[in-house]
Amino acid sequence: GFVSYNPGRLTVKELLIYSALVDCAFMQRRKTLQNALKGFFDSDRVFLAAGVSPTLRAENLSVEDYLKLFYAMQGVSLELLR
């Protein structure tokens, strides 16, 4: 699905963390997310909670997938996204 940008949805701090997550995912070319994001978080639980496969590459994710990862690593229920 399509996630529209809502400036009031993320705080400035959250937006910086989200941006760092996306940057980190794309930093190392041809790496799986699991390997690329090792320095960001080290938990398969985050991928499981987000419903995102750790074996995918950064370019295979949608904006919504990155938001799911962000919220999962923050411990926020993904039900709040609906």
Side-chain angles (χ1 to χ4, degrees):
F2 178 74
V3 176
S4 62
Y5 174 67
N6 181 349
R9 192 171 198 177
L10 296 178
T11 65
V12 172
K13 181 180 177 183
E14 290 171 332
L15 188 57
L16 290 173
I17 295 168
Y18 174 80
S19 294
L21 169 69
V22 175
D23 287 347
C24 190
F26 278 97
M27 201 170 290
Q28 298 180 18
R29 296 180 61 163
R30 301 186 53 78
K31 293 276 187 182
T32 63
L33 288 170
Q34 188 170 34
N35 289 327
L37 296 175
K38 265 193 179 147
F40 216 82
F41 55 81
D42 238 353
S43 175
D44 288 334
R45 290 183 302 170
V46 173
F47 288 108
L48 187 61
V52 174
S53 172
T55 61
L56 292 174
R57 293 185 179 166
E59 65 269 17
N60 298 121
L61 270 65
S62 66
V63 172
E64 183 176 311
D65 291 332
Y66 281 106
L67 281 171
K68 287 179 182 178
L69 275 175
F70 170 76
Y71 283 115
M73 70 180 231
Q74 299 294 317
V76 175
S77 171
L78 295 176
E79 290 298 314
L80 296 176
L81 292 176
R82 294 168 197 225

